[in-house]
């Protein structure tokens, strides 16, 4: 039989008032007792009306510790203000640290200190809370942390030391920290050396590029350990067991933003500590049966590929490089010719034009995006995957000249675009949203781009189409089978050849490059498949915003 959580109810002193404090295994509640209803000892038998009331879920308590009031330690300076008589009456104190919700999905660590007259009672409280925290098995105890000291504004180490490490220490999480010395250091360490059995998760301090390194390391290691060949595009990959936490310290940080709702190191650290878990789809990218990369956020050819290629040369500008290169690429207005073939996800709940959004506890992601079949629950449990050949019917093809070909397997929401590239995309439904932006005027393309910054529908334009797909391929018009790379090496020759062949082509180069989560891919012709829920993050998806800001703090909602 399962052990019942111990109940505790006591009158404890807090901020110059007496509170009825209750712990029931799910919630820790404290409610002020009006002065005329105070009972000196024992529990209250009548419901108490009036007074302030607070409630915290045990799952959101970080830690509990003893406080030595006799030694002059204070409760935010308030203890000293307490009358001498009360200090003598309640000399034993303990502090509970817990998650408090602030505006815009921000989480903060709050402390509450209770005082009591009896040392045994204090020990009973501390022990019972600790027992209930130990019972939360999803919480990590030992983490492997990688810090990219050069990401974003080069603040990674400082952010970790000042904002994150103290919280991990408070929650008794031990860490092994590696500050990377070069690109791919974290990836290669995870792939070959790291003793993964020792850890309950991996933490990445950096941007989307650094996160991508961690994913590559973990996914490759998992496939190697399980004898899976990554080079086969049809292979069903084995999901990674370790969860990944992202402490945002990069330039775009869209994976953090789209899974937590804000780019804030403290909020992310708290999601790690409480042991959240958010499954995520991962796209595999292949070229001629050779594995190239994985993508978690954006795979973009044309506009976003060109922005990235240009911005890499301007890394010294920090995150502003994307705006500069974005403006420049916008003016350049290159288009690229080719064919996109794709396998639409027809058997799913949800479309890219839905008004509903993927949020914490998303119904669609819980069902791997599949239509729920009441008759055969067993059937609906297995997520369709790129390896399922039965889905290989009904491919569509779109040929033409494109300004941008984007695949977003999640919304790609970020501070630049709070709704993202595909606002209705799901984190874990086994699909990616393929967005095709055909050649159009600069004015129309600007209208399309601007809609990413507002609530207007960026897909509601004649030159834009969007498909929710499981798989897609891109073949550039001038790609001649396997010789594509050789041609690239002779780029100048090819370029002049194309211009001779197409005098009216306004001299757009033949190829763009793919932007794969902020990394440039060397091939234009690629094949992409979505692997449903291949990785897990220490996140829970974006929580619904309460209707009134006052209710944003559930501690006040009782
Ligand atoms: C006119 C304003 C238009 C704003 C349009 C904004 C759309 C932004 C969508 C961003 C999607 C981002 C997807 C995430 C990609 C990241 O994986 C990846 C790597 O991140 P990391 O550096 O943290 O490692 N980041 C990126 O590839 C950065 C893409 C950023 C693109 C910025 C584009 C700015 C466009 C400005 C156009 C200005 C036109 C002005 C004309 C008067
Ligand atoms: N120590 C290091 N020195 C140089 N580059 C690194 C180092 N560690 C990681 N990188 C690389 O830095 C790139 C950008 O990292 P990221 O953290 O995503 O920052 P940003 O968001 O600014 O691009 C990634 O491609 C990553 O592989
Ligand atoms: Ca998805």
């Amino acid at each position: 039989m399962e052990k019942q959580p111990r109940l505790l109810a006591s009158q404890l002193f807090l901020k110059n008032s007496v509170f009825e404090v209750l712990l029931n295994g799910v919630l820790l509640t404290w409610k002020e007792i009006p002065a005329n209803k105070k009972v000196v000892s024992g529990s209250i038998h009548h419901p108490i009306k009036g007074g302030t009331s607070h409630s915290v879920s045990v799952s959101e308590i970080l830690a509990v510790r003893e406080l030595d009031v006799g030694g002059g330690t204070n409760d935010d300076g308030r203890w000293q203000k307490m009358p001498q008589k009360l200090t003598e009456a309640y000399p034993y104190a303990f502090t509970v640290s817990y998650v408090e919700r602030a505006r815009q999905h921000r989480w903060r660590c709050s402390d509450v200190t209770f005082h009591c007259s009896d040392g045994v009672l204090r020990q009973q409280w501390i022990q019972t809370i600790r027992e209930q925290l130990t019972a939360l098995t999803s919480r990590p105890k030992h983490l492997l942390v990688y810090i990219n000291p050069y990401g974003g504004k080069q603040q990674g180490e400082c952010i970790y030391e000042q904002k994150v490490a103290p919280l991990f220490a408070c929650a008794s999480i031990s860490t092994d920290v590696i500050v990377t010395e070069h690109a791919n250091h974290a990836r290669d360490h995870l792939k070959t050396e790291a003793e993964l059995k020792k850890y309950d998760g991996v933490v990445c301090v950096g941007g989307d590029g650094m996160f991508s390194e961690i994913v590559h390391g973990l996914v490759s290691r998992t496939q190697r350990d399980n004898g899976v060949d990554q080079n086969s595009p049809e292979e069903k990959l084995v999901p990674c067991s370790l969860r990944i936490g992202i402490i945002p310290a990069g330039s775009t940080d869209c994976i953090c933003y789209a899974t937590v709702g804000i780019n804030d190191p403290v909020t992310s650290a708290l999601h790690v500590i409480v042991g959240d878990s958010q499954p995520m789809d991962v796209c595999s990218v292949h070229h001629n049966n050779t594995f190239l990369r994985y993508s978690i956020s954006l795979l973009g050819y044309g506009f976003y590929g060109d922005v990235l290629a240009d911005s890499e040369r301007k890394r010294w500008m920090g995150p502003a490089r994307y705006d500069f290169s974005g403006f420049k690429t916008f003016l350049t207005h290159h288009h690229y010719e080719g064919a996109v073939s794709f396998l639409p996800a027809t058997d799913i709940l949800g479309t890219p034009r839905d008004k509903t959004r993927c949020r914490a506890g998303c119904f669609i992601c819980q069902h791997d995006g599949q239509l729920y079949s009441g008759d055969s629950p067993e059937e609906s449990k297995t997520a369709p995957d790129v390896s399922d050949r039965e889905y290989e019917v009904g491919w569509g093809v779109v040929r033409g000249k494109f300004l941008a070909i984007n695949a977003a397997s999640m919304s790609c929401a970020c501070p630049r675009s709070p709704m993202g590239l595909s606002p209705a995309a799901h984190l874990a439904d086994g699909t990616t949203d393929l967005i095709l932006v055909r050649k159009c005027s600069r004015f129309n393309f600007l209208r399309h781009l601007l809609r990413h910054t507002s609530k207007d529908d960026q897909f509601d334009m004649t030159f834009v189409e969007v498909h929710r797909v499981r798989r897609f391929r891109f073949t550039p018009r001038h790609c001649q089978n396997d010789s594509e790379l050789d041609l690239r090496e002779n780029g100048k020759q090819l370029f002049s050849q194309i211009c001779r062949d197409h005098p009216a082509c306004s001299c757009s180069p033949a190829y763009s490059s793919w932007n794969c989560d902020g990394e440039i891919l060397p091939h234009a012709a690629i094949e992409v498949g979505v692997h449903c829920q291949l990785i897990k993050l220490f996140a829970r998806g974006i929580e619904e915003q309460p209707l009134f800001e006052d209710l944003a703090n559930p501690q006040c909602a009782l």
Side-chain angles (χ1 to χ4, degrees):
M1 238 177 69
E2 222 171 90
K3 207 177 144 194
Q4 288 294 315
R6 212 147 35 114
L7 295 181
L8 268 185
S10 309
Q11 280 190 20
L12 303 174
F13 204 84
L14 159 68
K15 291 181 193 165
N16 299 342
S17 295
V18 178
F19 280 67
E20 171 68 4
V21 187
L22 189 79
L23 179 72
N24 66 6
V26 179
L27 290 176
L28 171 70
T29 310
W30 58 103
K31 189 174 167 101
E32 193 175 0
I33 302 174
N36 57 351
K37 297 264 174 86
K38 271 175 212 160
V39 176
V40 178
S41 63
S43 60
I44 299 281
H45 299 290
H46 310 289
I48 303 155
K49 292 206 175 73
T52 58
S53 178
H54 299 257
S55 179
V56 173
S57 165
V58 171
S59 67
E60 292 179 4
I61 292 177
L62 309 184
V64 57
R65 61 191 177 277
E66 245 175 53
L67 199 72
D68 178 12
V69 287
T73 323
N74 63 55
D75 169 19
D76 298 336
R78 287 183 195 104
W79 181 251
Q80 273 91 352
K81 287 181 208 137
M82 283 172 64
Q84 176 75 26
K85 223 167 62 182
L86 289 173
T87 319
E88 281 163 16
Y90 300 97
Y92 300 97
F94 64 94
T95 300
V96 177
S97 301
Y98 61 94
V99 169
E100 192 164 50
R101 284 170 178 75
R103 282 167 192 266
Q104 290 165 347
H105 308 288
R106 206 179 282 272
W107 282 14
R108 282 288 167 263
C109 174
S110 252
D111 284 349
V112 58
T113 299
F114 300 105
H115 303 262
C116 60
S117 54
D118 179 355
V120 176
L121 183 64
R122 169 171 75 173
Q123 269 327 106
Q124 202 183 359
W125 270 95
I126 292 178
Q127 203 183 325
T128 311
I129 293 175
R130 285 198 178 140
E131 271 169 21
Q132 296 189 3
L133 294 184
T134 311
L136 301 169
T137 50
S138 60
R139 289 195 173 194
K141 294 182 187 66
H142 195 42
L143 294 169
L144 176 56
V145 181
Y146 293 100
I147 304 175
N148 176 0
Y150 293 110
K153 294 179 185 154
Q154 312 196 336
Q155 298 292 303
E157 278 179 282
C158 175
I159 288 172
Y160 181 77
E161 290 307 330
Q162 291 181 4
K163 300 189 169 177
V164 179
L167 288 172
F168 285 172
C170 163
S172 306
I173 294 176
S174 60
T175 51
D176 287 336
V177 179
I178 296 176
V179 179
T180 61
E181 285 161 14
H182 51 86
N184 294 328
H185 180 169
R187 184 197 67 183
D188 296 341
H189 185 260
L190 274 168
K191 217 167 162 175
T192 51
E193 283 174 57
E195 249 190 274
L196 297 184
K197 281 198 198 84
K198 273 174 41 185
Y199 303 104
D200 305 308
V202 179
V203 170
C204 159
V205 185
D208 294 335
M210 186 61 185
F211 176 73
S212 166
E213 269 200 37
I214 305 286
V215 169
H216 280 81
L218 269 185
V219 174
S220 298
R221 172 80 171 262
T222 308
Q223 307 321 307
R224 203 196 58 201
D225 290 352
N226 289 278
V228 174
D229 175 16
Q230 293 182 98
N231 281 322
S232 163
E234 311 293 339
E235 195 83 316
K236 190 172 172 82
L237 301 179
V238 176
C240 301
S241 50
L242 286 184
R243 279 168 291 172
I244 312 172
I246 309 177
I247 306 297
S251 300
T252 312
D253 297 321
C254 90
I255 298 162
C256 177
Y257 193 97
T259 53
V260 174
I262 189 163
N263 290 337
D264 175 56
V266 169
T267 305
S268 288
L270 294 172
H271 280 282
V272 174
I273 293 170
V274 303
D276 275 345
S277 185
Q278 170 67 52
M280 297 262 295
D281 297 337
V282 175
C283 288
S284 60
V285 186
H286 286 81
H287 171 85
N288 283 345
N289 287 326
T290 308
F291 167 73
L292 294 183
R293 281 192 79 83
Y294 294 114
S295 162
I296 300 97
S297 57
L298 164 71
L299 254 173
Y301 188 79
F303 183 71
Y304 291 102
D306 294 351
V307 170
L308 184 71
D310 189 73
S311 69
E312 278 301 294
R313 296 188 284 270
K314 300 181 178 64
R315 214 160 232 294
W316 54 269
M317 289 175 84
R321 68 189 185 280
Y322 289 135
D323 302 307
F324 182 90
S325 298
F327 182 65
K328 191 174 151 190
T329 307
F330 169 77
L331 292 180
T332 318
H333 200 61
H334 281 157
H335 64 266
Y336 302 91
E337 225 173 326
V340 188
S341 39
F342 57 88
L343 182 64
T346 48
D347 53 331
I348 48 158
L349 288 162
T351 77
R353 305 289 292 273
D354 287 344
K355 291 278 168 269
T356 51
R357 303 287 176 249
C358 182
R359 290 291 179 261
C362 174
F363 176 82
I364 289 178
C365 293
Q366 278 175 8
H367 293 85
D368 312 317
Q370 282 184 286
L371 284 168
Y372 178 67
S373 150
D375 297 339
S376 51
E378 284 310 313
E379 223 172 83
S380 65
K381 270 184 196 161
T382 31
D385 216 297
V386 287
S387 56
D388 294 354
R389 300 292 313 189
E390 67 203 81
Y391 287 92
E392 297 245 357
V393 282
W395 282 70
V397 184
V398 177
R399 286 190 182 83
K401 295 173 178 171
F402 303 98
L403 288 179
I405 297 165
N406 302 322
S409 45
M410 47 179 269
S411 72
C412 293
C414 58
R416 270 189 189 83
S417 170
M419 301 286 164
L421 275 182
S422 190
H426 286 272
L427 294 169
D429 66 341
T431 71
T432 187
D433 288 349
L434 183 62
I435 305 157
L436 308 175
V437 185
R438 289 179 185 273
K439 188 182 166 193
C440 63
S441 67
R442 276 192 185 82
F443 177 68
N444 273 335
F445 189 49
L446 181 62
R447 281 176 56 226
H448 169 68
L449 285 178
L450 278 172
R451 289 192 183 183
H452 290 81
T453 61
S454 69
K455 286 197 167 130
D456 294 337
D457 182 358
Q458 61 261 43
F459 305 136
D460 187 19
M461 308 185 111
T462 53
F463 53 92
V464 181
E465 57 186 280
V466 57
H467 305 272
R468 190 156 282 182
V469 308
R470 295 203 185 281
R471 217 178 224 302
F472 72 93
R473 293 187 191 112
F474 174 68
T475 317
R477 161 100 194 269
H478 299 283
C479 173
Q480 287 159 4
N481 304 325
D482 293 349
S483 54
E484 185 200 337
L485 264 187
D486 308 338
L487 287 173
R488 280 197 146 208
E489 276 160 24
N490 301 316
K492 276 188 191 154
Q493 204 187 321
L494 173 73
F495 187 74
S496 52
Q497 178 67 37
I498 291 159
C499 288
R500 267 202 307 279
D501 291 351
H502 306 272
C505 74
S506 70
C507 287
S508 262
Y511 303 117
S512 171
S513 30
W514 282 94
N515 174 340
C516 179
D517 293 352
E519 301 296 312
I520 296 168
L521 283 184
H523 301 79
I526 58 168
E527 173 171 356
V528 178
V530 189
H531 298 265
C532 191
Q533 307 191 358
L534 192 65
I535 57 168
K536 279 186 294 215
L537 258 58
F538 284 111
R540 58 173 66 172
I542 298 174
E543 291 184 310
E544 292 289 358
Q545 289 271 37
L547 269 126
F548 305 102
E549 276 294 343
D550 283 355
L551 290 177
N553 184 349
Q555 277 82 42
C556 305
L558 266 192

